[in-house]
Amino acid sequence: MAGKIPNDVIDDVRSQTNIVDVVGQYVQLKKSGNNLFGICPFHDEKTPSFSVSEEKQIFHCFSCGRGGNVFKFLMELEQISFPEAVTKVADFVGFSLAETYRPTQNVQESSEVTQFKQLYRQANELFTHILMSTEAGQPALDYLHERGLTDQLIETFSIGYLPDQADLMLSFFQNKEVPYQILRQSGLFIETQTGKLHDRFFRPSDVSDSECAR
Ligand SMILES: [Zn+2]
């Protein structure tokens, strides 16, 4: 493991950083009075309640109550440790952080990548379960059998079926309390301009193409 980052190094990184630049990578901020406001990246919302104070170098959300300095922001948003957040900020502002203080690469990678992999596996298991074991999947299963696919083939290739039901996958993961940011970054969902997520494989009729941010 990497050595503990000394406080004076942490202070140096922080003093060379403007929180607005870091947060601005993730949140579209607009100036209003002394502060900047944007849509909170930690949850769904329509009106911006997420604020950043350039003067105090902190963020605060009036809706969910999250707040803190630039390191806290990245820790919460990317689900990373404090040393990982310091390293990330240091790299962002071009601060040369000694190698001994850097967390090992695969520690940083594993937290996010593992979560994504788990998400994809669970989504796949959900689809296969619906196909093989539910009434909703029966017509699709009958069709596959007609086309000559055996149950064994279906299992081998993890074939699944997502029924015509809005945001089934989203509620499945929300019930498992998967963090919003992980869902958002997983690619399994489309995101409207207001930050609302919808199943990528199901297009609700009230969401037009222009509303989809990506
Ligand atoms: Zn919030």
Side-chain angles (χ1 to χ4, degrees), residues 40 42-43 45 49-50 61-66:
C40 182
F42 298 109
H43 54 87
E45 65 175 13
S49 48
F50 178 86
C61 175
F62 294 96
S63 175
C64 65
R66 284 184 177 83

Side-chain angles (χ1 to χ4, degrees), residues 174-208:
Q174 281 174 339
N175 284 339
K176 290 182 180 293
E177 296 183 353
V178 177
Y180 171 76
Q181 277 302 327
I182 292 292
L183 294 180
R184 188 177 158 261
Q185 290 168 20
S186 69
L188 291 175
F189 304 93
I190 51 168
E191 185 185 3
T192 65
Q193 279 173 356
T194 55
K196 212 166 157 38
L197 300 178
H198 291 291
D199 282 15
R200 179 169 291 280
F201 309 119
F202 180 86
R203 175 66 57 91
S205 50
D206 64 332
V207 178
S208 66

